[in-house]
Amino acid sequence: PPENFSIFTERDSTCARITLPLFLIQKNRKRTIVVMKHNKHLLSLVWDIFTKINFSVVQFDLNGNLLSISENLLTELNIPHEKVNQFEKLIPEEFFTGLFTGPQGVKFIPVIQNYRTTVSKFNSDEKILYNISGYRDEESENSEVVNMYWHAVHLDKKEDQLAGAGGSILENLRVHNMIKPYVHPLVLSKAHEMAKIGKFKLPEEVKESTIFFADLVGFTQKVEKMEPRMAIELLNTALDICVHAINKHGGQIDKFMGDAVMAIFEEPLNAAVAAIEIQNQYGMLNELRKISSQEPIRIRIGINTGTIIMGNVGNKDRMDWTSIGDVVNTASRIEKSAEADSVVIGEQTYKYVKEQIRVDKMFTITVKGKKKQLTLYSIDEVVFRQNGKEFVLNIREHMTST
């Protein structure tokens, strides 16, 4: 009938909607549940599209009680008509608390968009992941009916990988934004790169990089007498200087280790520039702390260049994609051998940047497991180009252009 057909037009699209008749009533002891089965007299084309998309229609009341359900959804979940009331028992409790009793429920937000949940098949351990959208028409006579459209998501038997992805996209976006600062950009950028080519795991890579370690000197003893909140604020202030300089000069934070930070640079010169800039920033910070009669915050930095392995470390429950290898271990030893307020680089880094730096001291150290001593260079000046100009940056001096 004409009242079952409507057209909605907008600026750049037209949407036609057909309301499908409902029949085949099934009763249980609590309430009447309507099982919707397609009407063979509908246009075959309409039903063909509906079937190929494989949408199912489910209706609930505002308390989450099932009112009606498409027959194809019962078939998909192996639920016989006489057991239709089992459908609600197969749905996770989070579905009802999230959509009907929670602050984001349909009583307050009448539109549901891309909610995801997994449902177990009847008398089976197999689960199906569903994407759910729907609405509640607040202005109609059926304002207490929640209409939902369920669509099974099939990803080549990868549904189990999304088992923890239940909830609305909005909710998951909030979680993503919440944890994003805790995941270093190397992982995020590589994950996007792998996802684009259909991979489900970060790769192992062997490449030449420059490893950068910066560690606060005596910070643990400094904060022992401080209130926890003040200690965290001071640590964040100190590390923020490092993060800003590292990001500014093309480095990537690999990890934080208490009051130390590890980063990876593609260009050794950029690592040297960032290191000297950090020392200058600490110098200015300590001038302000001196005025306030506060103890200075001092940092030492070690840099090493060579072949590293970027790989997955951990197990399936907790993974870290990080750099490993002798170059990383040596960079850590170089940093520990550096004096406070200094920047020390290894031999390979020196070979790359020797024309752009000034060395104020050269010395050697013995590293466990290495027969040959390491020659290290403490630098206090670097020359680099930025925006077409050449700059000279000295430790504890302002940057000047030439």
Side-chain angles (χ1 to χ4, degrees):
E3 59 267 23
N4 284 21
F5 179 76
S6 55
I7 292 180
F8 302 91
T9 58
E10 296 184 1
R11 178 181 300 176
D12 56 358
S13 64
T14 300
C15 176
R17 184 177 74 184
I18 294 178
T19 302
L20 301 178
L22 312 179
F23 66 97
L24 184 57
I25 296 177
Q26 195 76 23
K27 294 183 178 180
N28 62 23
R29 289 179 297 176
K30 293 183 179 179
R31 57 187 178 276
T32 299
I33 300 175
V34 179
V35 178
M36 294 177 286
K37 184 176 180 180
H38 73 270
N39 188 331
K40 295 180 180 180
H41 299 292
L42 290 175
L43 288 172
S44 60
L45 176 62
V46 174
W47 184 253
D48 185 51
I49 294 174
F50 190 79
T51 304
K52 286 180 178 178
I53 296 176
N54 197 29
F55 277 119
S56 299
V57 180
V58 183
Q59 292 180 321
F60 293 91
D61 65 20
L62 287 180
N63 295 317
N65 297 312
L66 180 65
L67 300 178
S68 60
I69 183 170
S70 293
E71 185 180 36
N72 62 326
L73 184 57
L74 295 179
T75 302
E76 198 166 52
L77 294 171
N78 297 333
I79 303 175
H81 287 173
E82 62 273 14
K83 300 283 188 177
V84 63
N85 60 323
Q86 293 295 314
F87 174 71
E88 295 165 275
K89 299 179 181 179
L90 299 176
I91 303 174
E93 183 63 30
E94 292 81 4
F95 172 86
F96 296 101
T97 56
L99 294 183
F100 294 98
T101 62
Q104 301 295 319
V106 290
K107 293 179 181 178
F108 308 101
I109 303 175
V111 178
I112 303 162
Q113 292 183 326
N114 297 305
Y115 187 96
R116 290 171 293 179
T117 190
T118 53
V119 181
S120 301
K121 286 189 174 183
F122 184 64
N123 290 336
S124 172
D125 293 332
E126 185 179 351
K127 295 183 178 181
I128 299 178
L129 175 67
Y130 286 97
N131 190 78
I132 304 166
S133 294
Y135 69 97
R136 176 172 64 89
D137 192 345
E138 297 176 289
E139 298 180 0
S140 74
E141 297 179 357
N142 296 321
S143 61
E144 295 189 357
V145 175
V146 182
N147 305 283
M148 294 185 182
Y149 304 94
W150 289 51
H151 183 219
V153 179
H154 299 286
L155 299 174
D156 298 326
K157 304 301 180 181
K158 298 292 184 181
E159 292 91 338
D160 57 325
Q161 296 187 14
L162 297 175
S168 67
I169 282 184
L170 179 60
E171 176 187 339
N172 284 298
L173 179 62
R174 287 173 178 160
V175 173
H176 171 78
N177 290 335
M178 192 184 302
I179 68 175
K180 185 177 178 180
Y182 298 88
V183 182
H184 66 72
L186 271 175
V187 171
L188 291 177
S189 61
K190 185 58 64 173
H192 282 294
E193 181 183 328
M194 291 298 100
K196 288 179 181 178
I197 60 176
K199 302 295 184 180
F200 292 92
K201 187 178 179 181
L202 299 183
E204 277 73 40
E205 295 181 344
V206 179
K207 61 180 183 178
E208 185 171 84
S209 298
T210 295
I211 303 300
F212 175 108
F213 275 93
D215 191 11
L216 297 175
V217 179
F219 189 80
T220 302
Q221 293 78 10
K222 192 184 299 295
V223 301
E224 281 181 346
K225 299 179 181 180
M226 299 176 63
E227 295 181 4
R229 181 179 61 84
M230 297 297 293
I232 291 295
E233 288 182 359
L234 181 59
L235 178 60
N236 286 338
T237 298
L239 293 180
D240 182 65
I241 293 174
C242 297
V243 172
H244 178 76
I246 290 168
N247 291 338
K248 176 182 175 181
H249 296 288
Q252 298 274 9
I253 303 296
D254 184 280
K255 61 172 67 70
F256 293 103
M257 299 160 288
D259 55 6
V261 59
M262 173 184 169
I264 303 175
F265 286 81
E266 296 297 325
E267 298 294 335
L269 182 60
N270 289 350
V273 173
I276 292 183
E277 185 173 303
I278 288 170
Q279 292 294 9
N280 282 343
Q281 292 291 328
Y282 271 76
M284 289 186 283
L285 174 64
N286 286 328
E287 288 178 8
L288 296 175
R289 291 180 63 82
K290 183 178 180 180
I291 295 173
S292 304
S293 300
Q294 295 177 310
E295 294 183 13
I297 301 174
R298 308 177 73 185
I299 193 169
R300 61 187 181 219
I301 300 173
I303 301 172
N304 193 34
T305 302
T307 301
I308 66 170
I309 301 171
M310 293 297 299
N312 298 292
V313 179
N315 62 22
K316 64 182 181 65
D317 296 320
R318 176 64 174 88
M319 298 294 294
D320 191 12
W321 196 66
T322 187
S323 55
I324 57 176
D326 179 67
V327 173
V328 179
N329 297 332
T330 302
S332 177
R333 294 298 300 270
I334 292 173
E335 174 265 304
K336 288 178 172 57
S337 69
E339 296 178 353
D341 310 321
S342 71
V343 176
V344 176
I345 64 175
E347 289 183 81
Q348 192 64 26
T349 306
Y350 175 76
K351 290 179 182 179
Y352 282 110
V353 302
K354 61 182 179 180
E355 300 299 329
Q356 289 87 30
I357 64 170
R358 183 178 70 191
V359 175
D360 66 346
K361 184 169 65 174
M362 182 177 71
F363 60 99
T364 60
I365 63 170
T366 300
V367 177
K368 184 179 180 181
K370 291 183 179 291
K371 295 181 180 179
K372 184 181 177 182
Q373 286 189 318
L374 297 181
T375 301
L376 306 181
Y377 304 84
S378 177
I379 64 175
D380 64 355
E381 180 179 280
V382 61
V383 180
F384 64 101
R385 296 190 66 84
Q386 190 176 72
N387 299 325
K389 293 183 178 181
E390 187 174 87
F391 294 89
V392 179
L393 188 61
N394 306 95
I395 288 184
R396 287 175 296 280
E397 292 183 11
H398 292 294
M399 182 171 65
T400 60
S401 61
T402 60

